Amino acid sequence: MPRILGLFFCLFFSTIVSAETFHLARSDGSTITYYLDIPNNTQSFSIFAMLQGSDCQNVGDKYPGFKAFFTNVLKMAILTVEKPGLPTAEPGCPREYFIRNTIDQRLEDFQAVMGELRTNVSAWDRRLYLEGGSEGAVVGGLLTPLIPEIKAAMLLAGGGGRTMAEELLLLRQKELVAQGASENQISSALSEMRANFEEIRTNPTSDLTWYGETNTYKWWSSILFRSLVDPLQSSLMPLYIVQGAADESVPVESADELISALGHAGREEVTYVRREGLSHSWVDSSGQPHAEQIFSSTIIWLMAFEDQEIRSRLMELLRQNPEHPDLPELANRMAAIDQRNTLAMKVLIGRSGFPLISSHGAQANRDGWLLVQHADQDVNFQRTILGILETALTQHDTNPPDVAYLADRVMVNERFQSGQSPEQHFGTQGRVVDGCWVPWTILELPTVDARRTVYELEPLADYIRRNNDLYGDGECQAQGGPSPSTH
């Protein structure tokens, strides 16, 4: 039952990606091969590391469209690291792969590569994002406390709340129950599996394989008895965790328990997306694939993370000192991120549609709305998405408050463009006056709260008061608030 997750994301661009191949020597004289796809015409860039699953394939040949999207649209470099013995031009899996491939070797190799990048890639802004599926999610989770430059990690179909040995026992038990096996048959089968685990533990050889032709005892011994609870509890960066509830290779209960453990430990900034009915390869019960929506949602979450991060920094400086000298640079950076995210959303929507609850899940729906809300440089795009969301709302496929916010945003932006005084229907948009936030003119003001109720918004006075509580200095009255909302 190997953890193979093929990360397939077909996005095609005509721009040539500047990809380079690098080699490092391990202490035993063998070679690490890695690839860094660098965006063109960019003085500074973040790095997005893709961690492959348990397959024995050349990683340099994988994810061409995915890499192109990141380098050409998001302007991030893509890092991939080959497993031992790869790449190879020979058919089948090379002997070196069987001898050296373990989780510990992958961790060691990745840390060695990071050391090289710190020394030799001056344009890297020291921001690293990790994305891994299946075995790659395990590697990513274990790396989080080891690499200080990691700003966020996206772990897909990786379980993590239980050890893999515990996960395999649960899957086997489920399988036997579904087949109608007796309690004695189930107990016997699980005892046999535990005996296999013990054999692997005591004889971690590369000469024997189990549950897959390339999965050696040595590899199994490096992954069977690990969970992600401890490393993810000790790391601090935001996490985005996705698990299919019908995953036949990694039980969803393992991911559920990971989230529970992180919550009990007070671990903040953890986003858990539990996709009902989806398998390990993101296919539903009817055979319909959802991989493109899954990975689109992952990218959208990452863009929303950067959107909120830059806005939080800007708001903090504004609270400290409205004349802070770093504010203009941060504002320019925020505008650049918004423009980049708008272009990226157009590409992603062209591939798999706007993220609605039914297609991409509730988290991606909210993240996608947030990015469109901040696409103020392209009001036509905002207007188009508003139409999509208004239709979706009639089918309960998006959130009522988001539609109201975007409706106000579009109306205010369109009136600004035409040189008219801004007006709105729900009172969600405003400006700073004497240190307090004041809504732009609200049409039919006496009935605004009735409209807000329909769209599940709090009363206007409470909304303004909440802004005062969050951002104000205690001097703003009910009609004002201190600063622009991140929405």
Side-chain angles (χ1 to χ4, degrees):
M1 197 175 298
R3 295 185 168 210
I4 299 174
L5 185 64
L7 299 180
F8 174 72
F9 204 85
C10 289
L11 298 169
F12 300 99
F13 301 89
S14 59
T15 306
I16 297 175
V17 179
S18 175
E20 294 191 62
T21 302
F22 299 90
H23 304 283
L24 283 175
R26 297 189 184 92
S27 59
D28 62 7
S30 60
T31 300
I32 305 170
T33 299
Y34 69 94
Y35 312 94
L36 191 64
D37 297 65
I38 298 175
N40 294 320
N41 305 317
T42 304
Q43 294 182 345
S44 177
F45 52 80
S46 302
I47 295 178
F48 188 92
M50 302 182 67
L51 306 169
Q52 68 270 43
S54 59
D55 51 342
C56 180
Q57 296 181 19
N58 299 342
V59 74
D61 300 333
K62 300 179 73 174
Y63 326 128
F66 200 88
K67 292 178 180 179
F69 177 83
F70 270 85
T71 54
N72 295 332
V73 179
L74 294 186
K75 298 300 182 182
M76 292 184 185
I78 290 285
L79 171 66
T80 49
V81 182
E82 293 281 14
K83 296 180 183 180
L86 300 174
T88 179
E90 301 176 4
C93 200
R95 179 60 182 163
E96 185 181 345
Y97 181 93
F98 288 91
I99 294 173
R100 290 190 169 90
N101 181 51
T102 64
I103 297 299
D104 296 289
Q105 188 67 67
R106 291 190 68 179
L107 297 175
E108 183 179 318
D109 288 354
F110 194 90
Q111 291 180 86
V113 169
M114 293 308 302
E116 286 294 306
L117 297 182
R118 293 184 189 105
T119 302
N120 298 319
V121 183
S122 59
W124 177 33
D125 63 7
R126 297 303 190 266
R127 297 178 65 85
L128 175 69
Y129 300 112
L130 291 184
E131 189 271 350
S134 198
E135 179 190 322
V138 176
V139 173
L142 295 172
L143 282 171
T144 54
L146 304 177
I147 309 293
E149 292 89 352
I150 299 174
K151 302 304 178 186
M154 290 139 278
L155 311 178
L156 284 61
R162 300 186 180 192
T163 67
M164 186 183 283
E166 293 168 335
E167 291 172 353
L168 290 176
L169 288 168
L170 176 59
L171 289 170
R172 182 63 174 148
Q173 181 180 18
K174 284 183 169 183
E175 179 184 25
L176 292 170
V177 169
Q179 294 173 357
S182 67
E183 290 187 10
N184 287 338
Q185 289 172 320
I186 293 173
S187 177
S188 176
L190 297 185
S191 295
E192 180 180 347
M193 182 171 277
R194 290 188 184 95
N196 288 332
F197 297 160
E198 188 58 29
E199 181 182 356
I200 288 169
R201 187 199 299 269
T202 58
N203 184 28
T205 177
S206 58
D207 295 327
L208 297 175
T209 62
W210 183 67
Y211 263 36
E213 295 180 355
T214 63
N215 297 323
T216 67
Y217 278 24
K218 185 175 182 179
W219 176 81
W220 278 113
S221 69
S222 73
I223 195 172
L224 266 178
F225 311 108
R226 280 175 150 143
S227 82
L228 296 182
V229 173
D230 288 342
L232 293 182
Q233 282 181 347
S234 62
S235 60
L236 298 176
M237 79 287 297
L239 300 173
Y240 179 77
I241 298 173
V242 188
Q243 191 74 37
D247 194 318
E248 72 286 359
S249 296
V250 182
V252 69
E253 291 88 346
S254 183
D256 292 343
E257 290 173 19
L258 173 64
I259 299 305
S260 177
L262 295 178
H264 285 307
R267 182 70 161 78
E268 299 180 348
E269 296 189 84
V270 178
T271 300
Y272 181 37
V273 177
R274 193 183 196 270
R275 293 305 305 269
E276 301 299 325
L278 295 190
S279 70
H280 193 61
S281 55
W282 313 117
V283 176
D284 65 25
S285 59
S286 68
Q288 182 71 26
H290 295 260
E292 192 156 309
Q293 289 84 353
I294 292 294
F295 299 117
S296 176
S297 300
T298 302
I299 295 169
I300 290 170
W301 177 85
L302 176 59
M303 292 191 294
F305 163 71
E306 289 201 326
D307 172 292
Q308 291 297 279
E309 182 185 46
I310 190 71
R311 280 174 165 78
S312 294
R313 289 168 59 193
L314 190 65
M315 295 291 288
E316 182 62 30
L317 286 188
L318 279 170
R319 283 193 292 266
Q320 292 177 9
N321 176 11
E323 304 298 327
H324 197 288
D326 291 342
L327 283 173
E329 180 182 353
L330 271 180
N332 289 337
R333 173 63 178 156
M334 183 177 72
I337 289 175
D338 289 346
Q339 186 173 14
R340 178 207 68 178
N341 288 348
T342 299
L343 173 60
M345 283 297 294
K346 289 180 178 180
V347 174
L348 296 175
I349 291 169
R351 294 298 306 178
S352 60
F354 184 84
L356 300 176
I357 295 172
S358 60
S359 60
H360 293 66
Q363 181 67 42
N365 176 248
R366 188 70 197 279
D367 291 339
W369 160 79
L370 181 72
L371 298 177
V372 174
Q373 183 80 353
H374 294 156
D376 295 316
Q377 76 285 354
D378 194 337
V379 184
N380 289 334
F381 174 61
Q382 289 181 316
R383 167 62 72 181
T384 297
I385 302 305
L386 176 60
I388 293 173
L389 292 182
E390 287 174 334
T391 299
L393 186 59
T394 66
Q395 301 167 3
H396 308 286
D397 213 3
T398 193
N399 299 294
D402 297 346
V403 178
Y405 269 94
L406 187 56
D408 275 359
R409 191 83 160 211
V410 168
M411 188 174 185
V412 167
N413 284 340
E414 287 180 340
R415 292 183 66 85
F416 264 127
Q417 283 190 348
S418 63
Q420 297 177 289
S421 175
E423 297 176 343
Q424 58 185 325
H425 288 292
F426 300 97
T428 66
Q429 307 299 299
R431 76 287 195 193
V432 175
V433 177
D434 296 329
C436 293
W437 183 84
V438 179
W440 295 112
T441 299
I442 301 172
L443 297 176
E444 300 177 2
L445 181 59
T447 57
V448 64
D449 278 340
R451 292 192 298 276
R452 289 176 67 91
T453 298
V454 170
Y455 282 82
E456 300 178 8
L457 295 168
E458 64 194 316
L460 181 62
D462 292 344
Y463 171 69
I464 296 173
R465 190 173 297 110
R466 180 165 57 85
N467 281 343
N468 291 339
D469 292 341
L470 287 173
Y471 306 113
D473 56 10
E475 298 179 359
C476 296
Q477 300 302 312
Q479 72 273 12
S483 54
S485 168
T486 55
H487 292 164

